[in-house]
Amino acid sequence: MGWMIGRTAALADPQAARKKAIDKLKLLAELDDPESVVVPILLDALLMVESYRGARHQISFLPELTESVDALLREVTIVEKSKEWAKAS
């Protein structure tokens, strides 16, 4: 995913990194069913936060969270590319 925000960029300018993410996430409104993609990620994020709270070990369901985020990014990228192709036509 080409738009990913790297650790260095996020640490160097968190506001710019947030803006970049928000600009990308605005495309969620154009998905057929954005709630079906976003709600599972929010639930996973809540569980991740709770599992990290006071823990010093790797969480066991990080791969599932990664898969959810990757699915979201794929859907948003499809919408974005469709818009670019429509403009070029």
Side-chain angles (χ1 to χ4, degrees), residues 54-67:
R56 295 178 188 239
H57 61 280
Q58 180 76 18
I59 61 168
S60 60
F61 51 88
L62 189 57
E64 289 83 15
L65 179 58
T66 301
E67 288 173 15

Side-chain angles (χ1 to χ4, degrees), residues 2 5-6 8 12 16 18-19 21 26 28 33 35 39-40 44 53 66 70 73 76-78 81 85-86:
I5 300 163
T8 304
R18 284 186 183 99
K19 183 183 180 331
K26 287 179 182 177
L28 285 172
D33 186 13
E35 291 85 6
V39 170
D44 288 343
R53 200 179 308 276
T66 301
D70 288 346
L73 295 178
V76 171
T77 299
I78 289 169
K81 293 294 180 189
W85 292 336

Side-chain angles (χ1 to χ4, degrees), residues 14-50:
Q15 286 301 98
R18 284 186 183 99
K19 183 183 180 331
K20 188 175 184 180
I22 291 294
D23 289 344
K24 192 67 142 181
L25 292 174
K26 287 179 182 177
L27 295 172
L28 285 172
E30 297 186 31
L31 296 180
D32 289 335
D33 186 13
E35 291 85 6
S36 70
V37 178
V38 175
V39 170
I41 293 170
L42 292 175
L43 292 172
D44 288 343
L46 289 170
L47 292 174
M48 184 174 63
V49 167
E50 290 304 318

